[in-house]
Amino acid sequence: MSSKTIYLIRHGETDYNRRGVVQGSGIDAELNALGHAQANAFYEAYQHLNFDKIYTSKLIRTVQSVRGFLDRGLPHESYEGLNEISWGIREGRTPTSMDNDYYRELVTSWQGGKIDLQAEGGESPVDVKNRQLPVIDLILSRPEERTILVAMHGRAMRVLLATLFEKPLYEMDNYLHTNLGLYLLHYDYPTKRFSLEKENDTTHLVNIVV
């Protein structure tokens, strides 16, 4: 058992996503109709896989995104360490032009290297990385789980991928994401290195009808 295969997905669409409202870790929104259709399409495409373990955040939108697999009784664990970044005091409200300017300036600051800069009342990319590290260590400490599914969130995924591939966090925006997009990763235990097979793959979503 010298390798591990990781199917990493972002959750399906919520009404907050549809309206362009930031959710972060403080809004526990459910999937909307399209989100459930995306989850079903992913299940249909990958139902042949018997995942050794399914990992999700503590937020319901990630759990609903893997419901088809959970309904089969596959083992499941959820961790707050996989939650979305906390965007702070602006979470859950329709953004004004001032809010949009704030988010843009915040992300630009991160891209400029200020990765310890926190959202007002929220977290920084470094904060997110630090809470992800124990979960990463736990997952890698279980080589018997050869094929796993991880469901989480957009910004948190960017932090995670930059961490796994040993990239500086200010490069995290190089990792694109869409609702129910898939990253397929492999971890080699002898070299302790990750490789990337699929990046934000959405081919399983092309025939969705809502």
Side-chain angles (χ1 to χ4, degrees), residues 2-16:
S2 61
S3 65
K4 182 188 294 287
T5 299
I6 302 171
Y7 288 75
L8 173 65
I9 59 171
R10 184 188 175 201
H11 63 82
E13 187 184 86
T14 70
D15 282 337
Y16 286 86

Side-chain angles (χ1 to χ4, degrees), residues 172-191:
M172 62 184 162
D173 285 290
N174 291 335
Y175 297 102
L176 304 178
H177 61 75
T178 56
N179 288 115
L180 235 306
L182 166 70
Y183 278 81
L184 180 55
L185 316 174
H186 301 283
Y187 179 72
D188 182 72
Y189 278 95
T191 63

Side-chain angles (χ1 to χ4, degrees), residues 108-146:
T108 299
S109 294
W110 292 342
Q111 293 169 341
K114 297 179 180 179
I115 54 174
D116 57 351
L117 179 64
Q118 294 176 325
E120 187 178 0
E123 293 180 298
S124 71
V126 171
D127 293 330
V128 176
K129 177 178 179 176
N130 287 340
R131 62 172 164 81
Q132 288 180 352
L133 288 175
V135 185
I136 295 171
D137 289 344
L138 176 68
I139 289 172
L140 296 183
S141 74
R142 297 169 168 177
E144 70 278 6
E145 296 175 2
R146 301 198 61 180

Side-chain angles (χ1 to χ4, degrees), residues 44-74:
E44 289 298 318
Y46 293 99
Q47 62 180 309
H48 61 285
L49 296 175
N50 289 312
F51 293 108
D52 295 305
K53 183 69 63 63
I54 298 172
Y55 293 89
T56 69
S57 77
K58 287 286 188 178
L59 300 173
I60 193 169
R61 54 192 184 270
T62 62
V63 177
Q64 290 177 332
S65 296
V66 297
R67 176 55 61 193
F69 299 97
L70 299 183
D71 286 347
R72 285 168 41 192
L74 297 184

Side-chain angles (χ1 to χ4, degrees), residues 158-203:
R158 284 177 159 163
V159 172
L160 179 73
L161 287 163
T163 300
L164 297 184
F165 288 103
E166 301 178 358
K167 301 294 184 182
L169 289 183
Y170 59 76
E171 294 184 4
M172 62 184 162
D173 285 290
N174 291 335
Y175 297 102
L176 304 178
H177 61 75
T178 56
N179 288 115
L180 235 306
L182 166 70
Y183 278 81
L184 180 55
L185 316 174
H186 301 283
Y187 179 72
D188 182 72
Y189 278 95
T191 63
K192 298 182 180 180
R193 303 281 291 187
F194 285 88
S195 59
L196 180 61
E197 182 175 334
K198 293 183 179 181
E199 181 176 0
N200 196 35
D201 181 66
T202 58
T203 55

